[in-house]
Structure formats: C-alpha cells, structure tokens
Amino acid sequence: METRDLDGVVRVAALAFPHHFEDRGCFADRLALHPQGCFALEDAGEVVGYLIAYPWRLGSAPALNTGLDALPEGADVLYLHDLALDPRLRGRGLARPAVEALVRRAREDGWPAISLVAVNDAEGFWRRLGFETVQDPRLAEKLASYGEDARYMVRRLPA
Ligand SMILES: CC(C)(COP(=O)(O)OP(=O)(O)OC[C@H]1O[C@@H](n2cnc3c(N)ncnc32)[C@H](O)[C@@H]1OP(=O)(O)O)[C@@H](O)C(=O)NCCC(=O)NCCS
C-alpha cells in the first residue's frame, strides 16, 4: 500500500465495514507506522481490497478509528487490523492467499501469533483460516465497543 492508495482504501472500508467507520487518518497512520504490513489489491488501477497488520500486544486490541502516536512497546503479536474486499470480488478465493501470505511473512519475521477482532459475523471465516476464538474477560469492554458479534481471535504460529 502507498499513500496514493488511501482514497481507494477508504472507499473499500466504507463498503466492507458499514458499522465500524474509520477515517482516512486512521489508515494513513498505520501506513506511516508499519508500511511493511499494509497491502492494497488493485484491479485496473482501482483499489479493490486491502489488508493492514502491525505489531501489537497479545490480549489487547486498539480502539476503533483512533490514531496511534507509536506502535506499542514490547509488541508480542502481529495484529491484523482489517482485511476487506470490494463486495463484487468476494467469494473468488482472493482472501485466503492474502492471509496465507501474511502468515508466511509473520513466521519469517518471528512473530509467535497473529491476532484480530472478528466483526461482520466473520468468526467462521477466520476459523477456516486457522484462527481460534479466545475468551478474555479483560477484553470484554473493548470488544463491546466493536459491536455485539465481535470476537477476539488468535492464530498461533509455532516455530
Ligand atoms: C472477509 C472477506 C475478506 C472474505 O473474502 P472472500 O472473497 O469471501 O474470501 P475467500 O473466497 O478467499 O474465502 C476463504 C474461505 O473462507 C470461506 N468463507 C468466506 N466467508 C465466510 C464466512 N462469512 N463464514 C465462513 N466461511 C467463510 C470461504 O468459503 C473459503 O473457504 P475455503 O477456502 O475453505 O473454500 C470478505 O467477505 C470481506 O471483505 N468482508 C467484509 C470485510 C470483513 O468482514 N472483513 C473481516 C472482518 S474482521
């Protein structure tokens, strides 16, 4: 992903997460802090999907639509902030290879796990991709701010 992709990312995000609005600044901020974890999928010059991941703390999740001054000290997990496709491109097997590529890179970089907050009833999707739901009472309040169906999920990456 590059800065010129951000308008397209915002467009796809608005379609993919109608109940979890995040503004351009939030995406620009992640791209500035961890460009190596930000990817855009382009079709005929148009951004039609994106994936954003960055170092975070296991058992914790960032607040929605909030800028970060810096990545957390002592990060011990790669946090998958968003994976989204334009609706017209879903169901064609594009998401699985994107996640598997991220898993490969995370292993190479030595991350012990990838975490995420599943929304949009996507828990089943993430299970198919090797993620497990983790119940952690310390996360209950934060998860509630993501909506009723939000689930904290982790895919461990044993060496
Ligand atoms: C989530 C999303 C990226 C998946 O894209 P996709 O094109 O359907 O994904 P794929 O076609 O690569 O499917 C991967 C696998 O997940 C399965 N799958 C897709 N959506 C699913 C769902 N909601 N529940 C269970 N399984 C699902 C597919 O059948 C496929 O299984 P297989 O590889 O074993 O055959 C897309 O639906 C999207 O952009 N949704 C809106 C944004 C969103 O909700 N992102 C995740 C929230 S955290």
Side-chain angles (χ1 to χ4, degrees):
M1 187 188 294
E2 294 176 18
T3 303
R4 66 182 166 86
D5 296 321
L6 285 171
D7 288 343
V9 168
V10 170
R11 185 190 72 82
V12 175
L15 292 170
F17 299 106
H19 307 297
H20 301 86
F21 173 76
E22 292 191 300
D23 63 24
R24 194 177 192 281
C26 179
F27 301 116
D29 177 89
R30 272 52 176 189
L31 180 59
L33 286 169
H34 198 67
Q36 61 271 49
C38 299
F39 302 90
L41 177 68
E42 206 176 73
D43 181 37
E46 183 190 22
V47 174
V48 290
Y50 70 95
L51 184 159
I52 294 178
Y54 47 87
W56 202 252
R57 289 286 193 89
L58 194 61
S60 140
L64 268 174
N65 199 24
T66 303
L68 301 172
D69 295 330
L71 295 171
E73 297 272 325
D76 53 1
V77 72
L78 191 65
Y79 179 75
L80 205 173
H81 180 113
D82 269 358
L83 169 68
L85 283 171
D86 186 303
R88 69 180 191 269
L89 289 177
R90 291 182 198 161
R92 299 189 190 180
L94 290 171
R96 180 182 281 278
V99 174
E100 290 308 332
L102 184 75
V103 166
R104 272 196 307 279
R105 190 171 292 206
R107 279 187 204 279
E108 283 165 15
D109 292 345
W111 292 106
I114 300 176
S115 62
L116 57 84
V117 174
V119 296
N120 288 346
D121 280 325
E123 189 180 11
F125 166 76
W126 292 114
R127 273 185 196 283
R128 286 181 96 95
L129 289 164
F131 288 76
E132 289 174 2
T133 307
V134 175
Q135 310 280 357
D136 186 338
R138 290 170 302 174
L139 261 168
E141 199 177 323
K142 182 61 68 61
L143 280 187
S145 73
Y146 278 75
E148 260 178 31
D149 69 330
R151 300 283 181 275
Y152 185 66
M153 302 186 76
V154 174
R155 176 163 166 179
R156 303 269 169 195
L157 305 176

